[in-house]
Structures are given as structure tokens and as C-alpha cells.
Amino acid sequence: MGGQSEDYDRKITMWEQNIVPPRPQQRSTSFPFPFPLNISLRNPITLFFIIISIFYIVYSSNFLLNNEYKDCPTTEEYLSDLLPINNSSKEEEKVEFLPARSRFDTGLKHIVFCIAGSSNLWEQRKNYIKIWWRPRVTRGIVWLDMPVKTRKNEGLPEIRISANTSKFPYTNQQGIRSALRISRVVCETVRLGMKDVRWFVMGDDDTVFMVDNVARVLSKYDHRQFYYVGSSSESHLQNIFFSYAMAYGGGGFAISYPLAKALEKIQDRCMNRIVQEVIPPVLDSTSDQPPLFDGTTRLYISLICPYAQRAWIARNYKGLQDKIKLVPLDLSNRPAWYKEKVYPPNKVPSLEHNGKIIGESLDLLKYLDSSFEGPSLLPDDPAKREFAEELLLYTDTFGRGVIVSLKGDTDVGAPYDHLETALSKFDDGPFFLGQFSLVDIAYAPFIERYHPLTLDVKKYDITTGRPKLTAWIEELNKIEAYQQTKRDLAELIAIQKNHLGVVTP
Ligand SMILES: N[C@@H](CCC(=O)N[C@@H](CS)C(=O)NCC(=O)O)C(=O)O
């Protein structure tokens, strides 16, 4: 005790020796804090920290105040949003809604671990898995990008190779493409059809699970309902970028069986849908020409041209975002090299492919469909193909009819009546040929402009009394390939009015 108190005294002495007499307080530019902090607002570093602190406080209070924890939607509510309308009468497709119980007999045998790993880190990362994995007790799969060397009796889960995800568009320049593969590990595990599964637990290859704890926590939740259990990331930045209201693979998260089954049905479709393409910069007369015929396929467009939009929609619909590079041009300040070296007609769209340049939007639709993979833009039915030709031919007549009516006194409705009749020909879908096709693509950019333009200039709504056309517009707007090509409508209308020389009355 005596030794300790001497030590304490010595420390006190040292502290006392270090006390510096307070400096005289600066006037006006210092905060009047009751402690000797010399904070000057003129100091840029101090200002920087104050601004950052204000941002932080505002951000955090916003998060805390607006983070209302509403009652979780029921499984039925979730299902109605997530699943396509299901007319099927199959019994097994129906989800049962059972009364809630307070605790369930969920054990380790009901849990399947879905581990996302990578082949190049496998030799180190597998040691993390060995810490928690219990051979013949825990169930699960490690999903890798490529095969790795394995040894017998290593006490590790089964290794499988993830499916190829190159067909999915990926345009996040800050991200890494492997995120697509990793996001699919739960769905890929669901597809294995393992028996008696209540929960799928996703984790990274360096996540260490306390497996008994996992089972104990999950037994609190009704595995027959939709549940997604986990926690926000330990990284503040991740939460800010993505969301505080989501769980991350680093700490692992669990998905109940019915939710995993529902997600498995829609995830790939969602991945095709939600990726917003980053459009490359628009090239003008000051821009260098991109290399010509270097093996890259390029679609030269203008972001506001309806003809170019046709080819752009077709490229997106066929899922060719990675294969066909967009080259947007500023037509009002066009680069001279475009006419001289790329496309002498000097119009957009044009496609650079296999050492040649192809132009004319309607020809391009057919070319894109026949020369590239992806969903077909024309049905096989010869009657539908014949009707497609007829409607493609009509595009010019239609355009002329609309323009004449906008500028003069001819019947505004006549061109749309023609479309309404055409849309009634096939009743196996809301589109011109029943299912979505290149005919819809040919008309879409023009209706997009003419609909509001006619309303503005002629006070005439083209959808009134035309249920087929109304439904067509509604369904068209749900097509992501088209959505992604839409620009600011007010700007498009202003351009059209200027181009046609029409004014709002
Ligand atoms: N018939 C062409 C028309 C293309 C077209 O007129 N594009 C306009 C832009 S919307 C253009 O390039 N105009 C430039 C010009 O005429 O000099 C097609 O269908 O591709």
C-alpha cells in the first residue's frame, strides 16, 4: 500500500509540474468557453472541424429523429409487393399464414449457412471458418468464384462455384463486380433444395459465427413468416452510403425460409432492373475522336434524339450494356470527325460494329436483334412479323400526321386512332404484337414527346377515349430498358416546340 501511495504522489507531482499558466484570453475571435481552449474562428483547421461537427450533429439527429420504427408489414403485405400476380392454382405456391408463437424449437439443424468467399483468399480465410464450423452438425455451403485445392477431412463446409454473373449489368464505377456474385449466395443455396431448412444465414468468409447463439436468437422468430434479421455495419461509412436500416454480411444476417424463397424468384430480375447506367460524357467539337474499329462496339447517339433513343432502348432491352458502349454527341456543336471519319450522313444513331458503321434507327433495331444475343425483339409468328413490317412502315406517316395536326387544323386524333386500332389486333398482351417488340420501341420515343406536346399545344389528351393506348403507355413505362433512356421531359418538349415552330396558345 505504501509503495502505491508513493507512486500516486509522484504522479500528482508530475501532473503539477506540467500545468501551464493559462494564456490571456483572446478577444472577439475566441469562443467564450469557461476552459482554457484557444479556439480561433480565423483558424481554417478550427473552422473545418466546426463545419464537420455541425454536419455530423445534423446528420445524426436527422437519423435519430426520422428513424421511425413502424410495425413490420405482414407477410401478406410483403408478398403483394414482391411477387408477381399469381394466377396459378398450384397448391404448393400458396404461402400459409399461421398463428404466431412466442418461441420456436429452431436448432442448428434448421439453419443453413451461405458463405461468400473468394478463391484467391481461400487459403487464409478458411481458417476463420474452421473456428466456428462444426462438421456434421452445422449445414452450409461456401460459394467461391473459382475452384480451389481441397483436402479431405479438413473440417470445412462443402465448396461450390457461383454461377456466372457476367450477364448482369454492372455500372458502379466505385464498386466491384463480384458484389453481384456475393449478393446471390443465399438464392443459389435456396436452389439446392435442402430439406428442413428454416433459416438461411449469410456471412463472409471471415465472419465468425457463435452458432449456438445464432440458433438461440433465431428461435425467437417465426420462421414461417418473412424475416430478415441482422444488424447494421460496424463501418459508419457503409451505413451512410447504403442504409442504417439494413443488415450486412460482415456480421452475418438471417433470412427466413419463405422470404428466401420469394427473393429467389425475383432477385435476378431486380438486379437487371435497378442498375442505373452512368452515361459517358457528351462529346462536342472540342472532343477527341474515340478509336475507330478497335474491336469495341459503339452506339453513337444524342441523349435527346428520339431516333437514337430507339437503338438505345433496344440495346438495353437485350442486356447489351456491357457489350455496346454509348457515345453521346452534342448535335448542336458536333465534332467534325463524326461526319468525316465515322458516319458521313452525319446523323445519329449509328452503330460501329465488326469494322463497319450501320445507320438508320429502324434498320438498327433489326440489326441489333439479329446480330446480338438477348431477348428477341420480334415474335416467331409470321402474322405478327408481317404486322410488324406494316407498323414500322407507318411510323413516318404517323409522325407526319402528328406534326401537320400540331401546326395546323387537321384532326389531331386521327394518327392515334390508327394506333388504337393496331393495339387491338393481338390480345395476348398490351403491346402492338401482344408482347413487347421492336414495334413498341419504334413508337415509344415519339409518343413520349407527342403526348405532352399535344396536350400543351392543342389541349388534347391522346389517351382520352383510347383505353388500349392508355394501357400501352402505362406498360411501356414499366420497362426498365426504356425508363433508363428517358430525359427531362420539359427539355424535350421545349426542343420539339422549337424544332416544329409551334407555341403554347
Ligand atoms: N432516319 C434517321 C433519322 C435520324 C435523325 O434525323 N437524327 C437527327 C437527330 S434526332 C440527326 O442526327 N440530325 C442531325 C442532322 O440532321 O444533321 C433514323 O431513323 O435514324
Side-chain angles (χ1 to χ4, degrees):
M1 281 294 281
Q4 265 183 10
S5 106
E6 267 170 41
D7 204 32
Y8 178 74
D9 287 347
R10 220 176 15 251
K11 276 183 193 153
I12 297 243
T13 320
M14 278 160 60
W15 272 102
E16 281 168 354
Q17 280 163 2
N18 279 333
I19 291 174
V20 182
R23 285 198 230 151
Q25 238 183 1
Q26 281 180 347
R27 275 178 296 123
S28 66
T29 51
S30 293
F31 281 114
F33 288 147
F35 44 85
L37 254 185
N38 192 16
I39 301 172
S40 164
L41 278 177
R42 286 203 199 128
N43 182 343
I45 297 176
T46 313
L47 258 181
F48 174 77
F49 278 109
I50 290 172
I51 290 168
I52 292 290
S53 308
I54 291 171
F55 269 121
Y56 182 81
I57 291 165
V58 170
Y59 173 79
S60 307
S61 53
N62 186 41
F63 167 66
L64 289 172
L65 296 175
N66 295 331
N67 201 8
E68 290 168 32
Y69 284 99
K70 300 194 189 88
D71 281 345
C72 288
T74 63
T75 299
E76 278 161 288
E77 281 162 356
Y78 265 127
L79 270 176
S80 64
D81 280 355
L82 283 168
L83 298 177
I85 300 154
N86 189 2
N87 298 326
S88 138
S89 58
K90 279 192 269 165
E91 270 310 301
E92 72 268 17
E93 295 274 314
K94 289 193 184 143
V95 174
E96 280 181 60
F97 301 103
L98 301 167
R101 259 198 274 155
S102 57
R103 193 108 204 167
F104 297 84
D105 59 348
T106 299
L108 269 184
K109 64 176 180 176
H110 300 118
I111 299 170
V112 171
F113 290 90
C114 320
I115 309 300
S118 78
S119 54
N120 60 347
L121 293 173
W122 178 240
E123 276 309 308
Q124 299 103 60
R125 293 287 174 91
K126 68 181 184 186
N127 297 310
Y128 290 111
I129 300 175
K130 279 183 190 167
I131 296 172
W132 61 271
W133 184 254
R134 294 191 199 153
R136 286 176 297 282
V137 177
T138 39
R139 292 200 285 167
I141 309 285
V142 175
W143 293 95
L144 297 179
D145 50 337
M146 280 200 293
V148 288
K149 274 199 198 123
T150 51
R151 283 180 282 278
K152 271 196 180 154
N153 302 326
E154 248 194 308
L156 283 166
E158 179 189 347
I159 294 175
R160 284 181 176 252
I161 308 303
S162 307
N164 187 350
T165 50
S166 61
K167 67 174 183 217
F168 295 105
Y170 191 78
T171 50
N172 181 357
Q173 281 164 358
Q174 277 94 49
I176 38 170
R177 199 168 224 292
S178 60
L180 294 179
R181 180 181 76 79
I182 287 166
S183 76
R184 293 174 85 246
V185 300
V186 173
C187 292
E188 289 203 87
T189 311
V190 171
R191 284 181 201 130
L192 299 177
M194 293 161 103
K195 295 278 171 276
D196 203 15
V197 182
R198 293 184 181 180
W199 295 92
F200 292 95
V201 173
M202 193 269 170
D204 294 342
D205 49 3
D206 58 352
T207 304
V208 175
F209 288 103
M210 306 294 155
V211 290
D212 296 317
N213 256 358
V214 173
R216 198 173 52 79
V217 169
L218 292 181
S219 66
K220 286 199 270 182
Y221 299 94
D222 186 347
H223 53 275
R224 300 161 302 178
Q225 301 289 327
F226 274 22
Y227 270 111
Y228 162 50
V229 182
S231 165
S232 44
S233 172
E234 72 284 3
S235 154
H236 207 39
L237 276 182
Q238 293 263 18
N239 296 315
I240 291 173
F241 276 135
F242 299 106
S243 164
Y244 274 94
M246 87 178 212
Y248 292 76
F253 59 81
I255 293 185
S256 62
Y257 182 83
L259 177 57
K261 285 289 277 182
L263 289 174
E264 184 269 319
K265 283 201 191 107
I266 59 166
Q267 188 189 3
D268 287 357
R269 249 185 303 145
C270 291
M271 278 168 47
N272 267 323
R273 211 164 66 92
I274 58 177
V275 181
Q276 184 68 43
E277 180 167 16
V278 178
I279 311 288
V282 177
L283 305 185
D284 65 15
S285 62
T286 63
S287 313
D288 289 337
Q289 182 187 357
L292 190 65
F293 304 140
D294 61 347
T296 305
T297 306
R298 294 185 177 83
L299 181 62
Y300 293 87
I301 58 167
S302 146
L303 298 177
I304 50 170
C305 167
Y307 301 99
Q309 195 179 349
R310 285 173 170 168
W312 186 6
I313 300 169
R315 161 207 183 250
N316 292 355
Y317 191 75
K318 290 185 77 73
L320 301 170
Q321 287 88 337
D322 283 347
K323 299 216 163 71
I324 302 182
K325 204 169 157 357
L326 292 179
V327 185
L329 302 180
D330 177 357
L331 290 185
S332 58
N333 184 17
R334 231 169 299 184
W337 48 256
Y338 184 62
K339 180 181 169 132
E340 286 159 14
K341 309 231 175 78
V342 182
Y343 189 51
N346 207 13
K347 293 187 178 200
V348 287
S350 75
L351 182 81
E352 173 188 339
H353 181 232
N354 279 349
K356 55 185 187 300
I357 303 285
I358 305 125
E360 283 302 315
S361 59
L362 294 183
D363 295 342
L364 264 177
L365 290 182
K366 292 180 184 170
Y367 182 84
L368 287 168
D369 197 28
S370 57
S371 312
F372 293 88
E373 63 199 23
S376 174
L377 293 176
L378 268 180
D380 291 334
D381 181 349
K384 288 188 172 180
R385 282 181 172 244
E386 197 183 321
F387 193 49
E389 286 304 325
E390 195 182 302
L391 287 172
L392 292 180
L393 216 62
Y394 180 69
T395 53
D396 275 351
T397 319
F398 169 76
R400 265 195 309 277
V402 172
I403 291 165
V404 167
S405 73
L406 283 173
K407 290 170 122 178
D409 289 330
T410 56
D411 180 9
V412 187
Y416 303 103
D417 286 339
H418 192 102
L419 297 190
E420 182 73 7
T421 311
L423 282 163
S424 314
K425 185 161 169 110
F426 298 107
D427 57 7
D428 55 339
F431 298 107
F432 283 105
L433 306 180
Q435 302 305 305
F436 187 72
S437 75
L438 51 75
V439 177
D440 305 295
I441 298 179
Y443 283 93
F446 293 90
I447 302 289
E448 179 185 331
R449 289 156 177 80
Y450 294 158
H451 184 190
L453 192 65
T454 314
L455 200 58
D456 182 45
V457 176
K458 291 283 173 186
K459 309 292 170 235
Y460 181 92
D461 186 347
I462 63 169
T463 57
T464 306
R466 296 192 181 90
K468 298 275 178 194
L469 188 59
T470 308
W472 181 81
I473 294 174
E474 210 176 295
E475 291 305 312
L476 186 73
N477 280 321
K478 292 182 190 159
I479 293 192
E480 189 62 22
Y482 165 59
Q483 285 274 358
Q484 298 230 359
T485 65
K486 286 173 110 182
R487 301 293 100 183
D488 178 51
L489 196 56
E491 189 197 348
L492 294 184
I493 296 171
I495 293 168
Q496 285 281 318
K497 280 168 86 172
N498 188 31
H499 180 65
L500 301 176
V502 291
V503 289
T504 310

